[in-house]
Amino acid sequence: MLSPLQKLKNKSMLIDVENLKKDFVTGEVVTKVLYGLNFTIDDGEFVSIMGPSGSGKSTLMHILGLLDRSSSGLYKLEGKDVTKLSDDELAKLRNEKIGFVFQAFNLLPRTTVLDNVKLPLTYSDQKKGDINEIAKQVLKDVGLEHRVNYYTNQISGGEKQRVAIARALVNNPSVLFADEPTGNLDSKSGTQIMEILQHLNNRGRTIILVTHETYTSEHAKRIIKIKDGLITDDYPVENRRIAKDGELLK
């Protein structure tokens, strides 16, 4: 059984974006949000997409995560031009290739930790016993094997986010999107979540972190800054923050 923390091999270009634009149309009013973005992300990178509210970073994440479509431009995921896919094809690709972690956790209430993590595998071809084992493995990978049978209202906020990470990993996706994953957490719990994301990346998992916080973004290895729908900067993080034992070290 492949654990999400096992090293991934054959690194290559994962995401290729060329002249990507997004407009929202309401009646006769056209609101331009993204103004022709160009960048690539390789398999195994840890990238922060950073910008203030209204900058377009969440819109970009929704497009990259196949939750929305661009108005024009090219977006290739693992070499496939996703702009030409049908809604059903996008949904299938999203389920197979992409994992999401959101600020609000988005866990099912009155449901066990294990059942929350198993949810993405419900309609897969996996046997029931295999689904249980895969879910337990990813929970072990995020340090929650002791919470398998707890209900989501019985665990802390930091543990809820760990459950959300495990659920995002259970399909072994090509890329994990984390949208303000520490926004609802205290500083210690937030640091622990970033430590998990760093650990996943160190084992080869591609992470794309969306945040407005400089402190959080510096856990990544590369930062793409967006303002008013344009990329204003794109650079490696030389003095990366490393999470260890609940503290951040420079």
Side-chain angles (χ1 to χ4, degrees):
M1 183 187 302
L2 176 65
S3 165
L5 290 184
Q6 285 183 268
K7 290 206 175 215
L8 306 180
K9 298 180 180 179
N10 302 321
K11 287 188 177 182
S12 59
M13 185 185 298
L14 179 68
I15 289 172
D16 183 12
V17 169
E18 297 179 17
N19 199 30
L20 193 75
K21 298 180 181 180
K22 178 64 178 179
D23 304 334
F24 289 106
V25 180
T26 306
E28 296 182 356
V29 178
V30 178
T31 303
K32 295 184 179 297
V33 180
L34 300 177
Y35 288 84
L37 306 186
N38 295 279
F39 62 88
T40 63
I41 295 176
D42 288 339
D43 183 28
E45 282 200 79
F46 188 168
V47 180
S48 282
I49 297 176
M50 187 184 176
S53 297
S55 62
K57 64 182 185 299
S58 292
T59 298
L60 176 59
M61 187 204 76
H62 288 160
I63 294 172
L64 297 180
L66 308 181
L67 295 171
D68 197 2
R69 293 179 180 270
S70 62
S71 300
S72 63
L74 178 71
Y75 170 29
K76 287 185 177 180
L77 178 64
E78 293 186 332
K80 179 179 291 187
D81 184 357
V82 301
T83 61
K84 301 182 183 302
L85 300 182
S86 68
D87 289 345
D88 287 344
E89 288 172 328
L90 282 178
K92 184 175 185 295
L93 190 63
R94 183 171 60 244
N95 186 58
E96 293 175 349
K97 300 294 184 180
I98 295 172
F100 293 99
V101 179
F102 296 102
Q103 178 177 338
F105 315 134
N106 294 346
L107 300 180
L108 295 177
R110 298 180 297 279
T111 307
T112 66
V113 165
L114 183 63
D115 285 341
N116 266 276
V117 174
K118 287 163 49 178
L119 188 62
L121 295 175
T122 302
Y123 300 105
S124 72
D125 295 329
Q126 298 277 0
K127 295 180 181 179
K128 184 176 180 180
D130 292 339
I131 290 175
N132 283 335
E133 288 306 309
I134 293 170
K136 288 178 181 179
Q137 178 62 54
V138 292
L139 282 167
K140 182 177 180 181
D141 290 338
V142 299
L144 281 185
E145 63 269 30
H146 61 300
R147 295 286 195 246
V148 168
N149 295 316
Y150 279 60
Y151 288 87
T152 53
N153 64 338
Q154 296 176 311
I155 59 178
S156 67
E159 289 173 330
K160 288 178 181 178
Q161 197 59 292
R162 292 188 189 205
V163 175
I165 292 173
R167 182 183 58 190
L169 291 171
V170 77
N171 273 339
N172 195 29
S174 298
V175 57
L176 179 66
F177 287 91
D179 187 8
E180 304 282 7
T182 64
N184 283 338
L185 305 177
D186 58 54
S187 58
K188 182 176 181 179
S189 296
T191 297
Q192 292 170 344
I193 292 302
M194 295 312 303
E195 183 177 20
I196 290 172
L197 294 179
Q198 287 181 326
H199 188 42
L200 288 167
N201 176 250
N202 290 340
R203 297 294 185 92
R205 181 70 55 188
T206 307
I207 309 285
I208 298 179
L209 170 71
V210 178
T211 183
H212 68 280
E213 297 177 339
T214 300
Y215 197 77
T216 303
S217 71
E218 290 177 349
H219 288 79
K221 296 177 180 176
R222 172 185 170 196
I223 294 177
I224 298 175
K225 287 189 175 181
I226 295 180
K227 185 177 181 181
D228 298 329
L230 292 167
I231 292 177
T232 60
D233 216 343
D234 184 347
Y235 58 91
V237 181
E238 296 180 358
N239 296 316
R240 187 182 182 214
R241 295 183 183 274
I242 304 298
K244 183 178 180 181
D245 298 330
E247 296 182 359
L248 291 177
L249 307 177
K250 288 290 284 186

